[in-house]
Amino acid sequence: MGGIVLKTTDLTKKYNNKAVVDNLNIEIKQGEIFGLLGPNGAGKSTTMNMICSIVRPTAGEIELLGKNPWKQKKEVIHKVGYIPQELAVHGNLKAWENVELFTSLYGIKGEQLKKAVNESLEYVGLLERKQEFAKNFSGGMKRRLNIACAIGHHPELLIFDEPTVGIDPQSRNFILDKIKESNKRGATVIYTSHYMEEVEAICTRIAIMDNGKVIACGTSEELKRLVNGDDEHITLEEVFLTLTGKKLRDYTE
Amino acid sequence: MIRYLIKNNFKLMFRNTWSIVVMLLGPILVIAVLSSAFTELMKSYEGVDEFSVGYRLQEAADGHMIESAKAAGEEAGILFYEYPEGDIQDVMEKNELAGFVEFSEDGYVVYKSGDYEVEGITLEYFMHRAMQEGVNAVLRMEEQDVTLPVTELEFMPAVDSVDYYGIIYIVYFCWCCSICATGVLGNEKKYGIVRRFQVSNISETQNYLSKFIPLTLVVSVAMAVTTGITILLFDIHWGNPILSAFLVFMMIMAGNALSLMLYNISDNLVITVIMLFMVVWFMGFFGGSFETYMFSSWPDLLKQLSPIYHGNRALVELSCMGKSDYVAGSLLYSLAVTVICSVIAIMAGSIRKRGRA
Ligand SMILES: Nc1ncnc2c1ncn2[C@@H]1O[C@H](COP(=O)(O)OP(=O)(O)OP(=O)(O)O)[C@@H](O)[C@H]1O
Ligand SMILES: [Mg+2]
């Protein structure tokens, strides 16, 4: 434990001169499950995309596993597993073909690839259905497949961008359990969501983000104390609403 | 490592049933419709015998040129007789002439007869070629005794309309069949799959090849099947099978590179498809896809610019004469288009990736 996996310094992204991510400073240590919590449009996905070298930052520094993901992409990107917010799978490919396609991007091949595909599918509980086309999967199964496509190369850092949107409690709990399991096996996890219970259940540390800024960061106890002094009888949801306000999000003011 | 990418992209394109069906049926339907529509014209054209035409010189017309044209015409089966006097229409009727040419100082006028439609077209084309050769000769300062190179007038290979359209529409479809990649490209964008590629180490070149190779395979297989069906259904005669297949294959590659380039530049499928169809339509328009290239009167430069013209001409001449001066040119042209478009596609892709907002 202890090494720093991710550090951002004044990370900023502007669209049309409006800062969507605004001087963001976060530091994530090895072995953590770091929760990034925030309302719609807070800039969570944009932050993740900058870290994964998908969206170019306007300003600021990123240090990912000791490297700059924009300048030293080749040396570091294969250590990252990115699970996008969208269901990024091909409907016209079977489950196993999807996993094979995306796992092969990391240079895994032959028997090793076959093994990795089966392991990934088993991990998300889709092994028996590997011969089915992704387009025929239910929403929850697609979510699980979406995860399977990003873990075959055993990444050191797993980035989940809202992996539980639109699925039932059983699938959600399954996914949360799996995230904890990956963490136990040694992966550091960044977990993005706007569901309080989830974040509280699995994350070791939580950052609350709004309007592109981190407005609070700490363990769930620390956050509760921050809002309500010594009163422990507050839910994280109340903390969240207190800190981010009750106004409807994604509105242009 | 792009082996698996190629394999799965191939599966994706192959499973895109809709585009495969269009690719297979498109050429068959078009060939069936067009070849029967033009059968009349082409059939008689094929069997055109020697025929007589009249001519007349206005005072300042260049006599040398006309003598050469006469000689060349005789070789090509067109007999010229001089009729200095009388109303042209009367003269034509009285002497059963298939056409009449009136030479003047700055050109000539061709009169055609309704009874000799095909001969009229042939005469027109002959005059066009003969004058072109004549002008070239003058430009080369051979003002005296211009002899028109008769070999050049092998312009009338006896190609039958079914063969012509059977070949030309396979060529045309080769250039636009790359649309069967749209399914893959569209999904990659729509479902954010491109992001997965970005969070990996595959290069723009690998990404390009992982589309280009399966696309070329799928289109080649589909074209082979559809060509086979048209041969069985319409009895189309291709020339040298290996050489013809190679010419077609090279054009498939060029068409694919062209459309992938358009996509990487525009990053928009609708624009890509519209642009591709427009470019191919223009190339076909000047290259003989709609109007047979033998009779089309487009300036030679426009024809020469169209890679479809080179391909059509090479393949049609291979079919009806067994040889063609256009084979090497067509191959080189396709290769050049493939290489240049691929390079631009890869460059455009990496610029887009680097600057992605
Ligand atoms: N390409 C873009 N161009 C312009 N604005 C953008 C672009 N991408 C994102 N934005 C804006 O940036 C803001 C943050 O978006 P982001 O997707 O990071 O939010 P989020 O926190 O992930 O929200 P959600 O919970 O809804 O996923 C939004 O207001 C969005 O409109
Ligand atoms: Mg998001």
Side-chain angles (χ1 to χ4, degrees), chain A residues 13 49 54-56 73-74 77 86 88-90 92 97 100-102 104-106 110 113 133 146, chain B residues 1 4-5 7-8 11-12 15 187 191-193 195-202 354 356-357:
Chain A
K13 177 70 197 176
N49 289 342
I54 296 169
V55 168
R56 187 175 278 276
K73 182 169 173 175
K74 280 206 159 52
I77 209 71
E86 305 93 343
V89 295
H90 277 297
N92 258 343
E97 291 167 338
E100 180 192 72
L101 173 67
F102 296 118
S104 77
L105 296 180
Y106 298 93
L113 179 62
F133 282 103
N146 203 29
Chain B
M1 93 191 195
Y4 300 95
L5 261 177
K7 187 177 86 178
N8 284 302
K11 287 181 187 172
L12 280 169
R15 284 173 190 163
N187 273 359
Y191 298 113
I193 289 165
R195 295 183 171 192
R196 290 201 191 270
F197 294 134
Q198 283 172 291
V199 191
S200 81
N201 273 329
I202 75 158
R354 212 174 307 143
R356 198 174 296 270

Side-chain angles (χ1 to χ4, degrees), chain A:
Chain A
M1 297 269 137
I4 288 173
V5 171
L6 175 74
K7 184 176 171 182
T8 70
T9 317
D10 296 333
L11 186 62
T12 301
K13 177 70 197 176
K14 289 185 180 163
Y15 285 117
N16 309 320
N17 256 335
K18 185 175 169 289
V20 163
V21 175
D22 194 358
N23 287 299
L24 191 79
N25 292 293
I26 48 177
E27 197 173 289
I28 297 169
K29 294 193 190 68
Q30 199 189 345
E32 281 192 296
I33 301 183
F34 186 85
L36 194 58
L37 202 57
N40 287 131
K44 305 181 295 291
S45 297
T46 307
T47 306
M48 297 304 115
N49 289 342
M50 287 193 284
I51 294 165
C52 295
S53 77
I54 296 169
V55 168
R56 187 175 278 276
T58 315
E61 291 295 321
I62 304 169
E63 200 182 306
L64 179 63
L65 295 156
K67 309 268 194 266
N68 180 330
W70 283 90
K71 296 192 180 121
Q72 296 158 297
K73 182 169 173 175
K74 280 206 159 52
E75 294 150 47
V76 68
I77 209 71
H78 59 279
K79 295 179 182 169
V80 176
Y82 167 69
I83 292 98
Q85 187 170 352
E86 305 93 343
L87 293 167
V89 295
H90 277 297
N92 258 343
L93 287 181
K94 295 171 181 170
W96 73 272
E97 291 167 338
N98 268 300
V99 180
E100 180 192 72
L101 173 67
F102 296 118
T103 306
S104 77
L105 296 180
Y106 298 93
I108 301 169
K109 51 183 181 251
E111 282 304 311
Q112 211 191 341
L113 179 62
K114 244 183 234 164
K115 201 167 137 248
V117 169
N118 284 333
E119 273 175 13
S120 303
L121 284 166
E122 188 170 18
Y123 183 80
V124 298
L126 287 175
L127 191 57
E128 315 83 75
R129 314 196 62 164
K130 67 183 222 173
Q131 291 295 351
E132 290 177 36
F133 282 103
K135 63 181 169 196
N136 298 333
F137 276 3
S138 72
M141 286 159 77
K142 278 184 195 154
R143 279 274 159 218
R144 274 141 64 193
L145 182 59
N146 203 29
I147 296 173
C149 290
I151 56 172
H153 57 297
H154 300 296
E156 290 175 32
L157 173 66
L158 275 166
I159 297 179
F160 289 88
D161 197 350
E162 298 188 32
T164 56
V165 179
I167 58 174
D168 65 19
Q170 284 88 343
S171 297
R172 178 187 297 192
N173 285 335
F174 179 86
I175 290 176
L176 294 181
D177 283 344
K178 286 298 169 184
I179 291 173
K180 274 198 265 187
E181 195 182 313
S182 304
N183 181 250
K184 284 213 187 76
R185 289 192 201 166
T188 308
V189 176
I190 303 178
Y191 186 91
T192 289
S193 175
H194 24 74
Y195 292 114
M196 316 308 135
E197 332 78 90
E198 286 181 0
V199 175
E200 192 165 16
I202 64 165
C203 293
T204 51
R205 219 148 54 86
I206 301 162
I208 296 181
M209 196 174 172
D210 196 14
N211 287 324
K213 291 191 178 81
V214 171
I215 50 177
C217 185
T219 62
S220 67
E221 279 69 37
E222 281 168 359
L223 290 176
K224 287 175 189 172
R225 215 173 301 135
L226 180 78
V227 171
N228 221 25
D230 290 329
D231 184 0
E232 293 282 320
H233 299 289
I234 184 171
T235 64
L236 199 55
E237 177 141 6
E238 287 171 299
V239 174
F240 181 72
L241 289 174
T242 312
L243 287 174
T244 61
K246 292 192 175 159
K247 195 168 47 142
L248 202 56
R249 293 299 155 165
D250 265 359
Y251 264 38
T252 41
E253 50 275 30

Side-chain angles (χ1 to χ4, degrees), chain B residues 161-328:
Chain B
S161 76
V162 178
D163 285 349
Y164 185 86
Y165 284 104
I167 290 169
I168 252 107
Y169 274 96
I170 295 294
V171 170
Y172 193 77
F173 272 79
C174 284
W175 281 88
C176 33
C177 268
S178 47
I179 48 159
C180 71
T182 50
V184 178
L185 297 173
N187 273 359
E188 281 189 354
K189 197 163 174 208
K190 185 168 156 201
Y191 298 113
I193 289 165
V194 275
R195 295 183 171 192
R196 290 201 191 270
F197 294 134
Q198 283 172 291
V199 191
S200 81
N201 273 329
I202 75 158
S203 67
E204 201 48 45
T205 310
Q206 288 173 321
N207 195 8
Y208 175 80
L209 288 176
S210 75
K211 311 266 158 34
F212 179 79
I213 294 172
L215 183 57
T216 302
L217 276 174
V218 169
V219 177
S220 301
V221 169
M223 281 294 127
V225 171
T226 197
T227 307
I229 296 175
T230 55
I231 290 175
L232 289 180
L233 284 183
F234 308 114
D235 190 29
I236 289 162
H237 300 92
W238 289 74
N240 184 332
I242 294 169
L243 195 52
S244 298
F246 190 54
L247 279 160
V248 170
F249 178 71
M250 291 300 286
M251 282 190 275
I252 290 175
M253 295 222 287
N256 293 345
L258 174 69
S259 63
L260 288 176
M261 178 190 80
L262 291 173
Y263 182 69
N264 278 7
I265 290 175
S266 68
D267 196 31
N268 180 318
L269 269 184
V270 178
I271 293 179
T272 303
V273 171
I274 293 174
M275 288 287 292
L276 180 73
F277 281 176
M278 265 171 50
V279 171
V280 174
W281 190 85
F282 271 107
M283 296 190 319
F285 187 70
F286 295 115
S289 300
F290 311 118
E291 180 186 30
T292 54
Y293 63 74
M294 308 87 139
F295 296 149
S296 86
S297 51
W298 299 113
D300 216 38
L301 177 71
L302 281 179
K303 290 189 192 170
Q304 296 290 347
L305 274 178
S306 158
I308 288 188
Y309 176 69
H310 293 258
N312 283 347
R313 187 125 187 210
L315 287 164
V316 168
E317 290 183 356
L318 276 180
S319 159
C320 60
M321 308 195 305
K323 67 178 171 63
S324 169
D325 295 338
Y326 278 75
V327 171

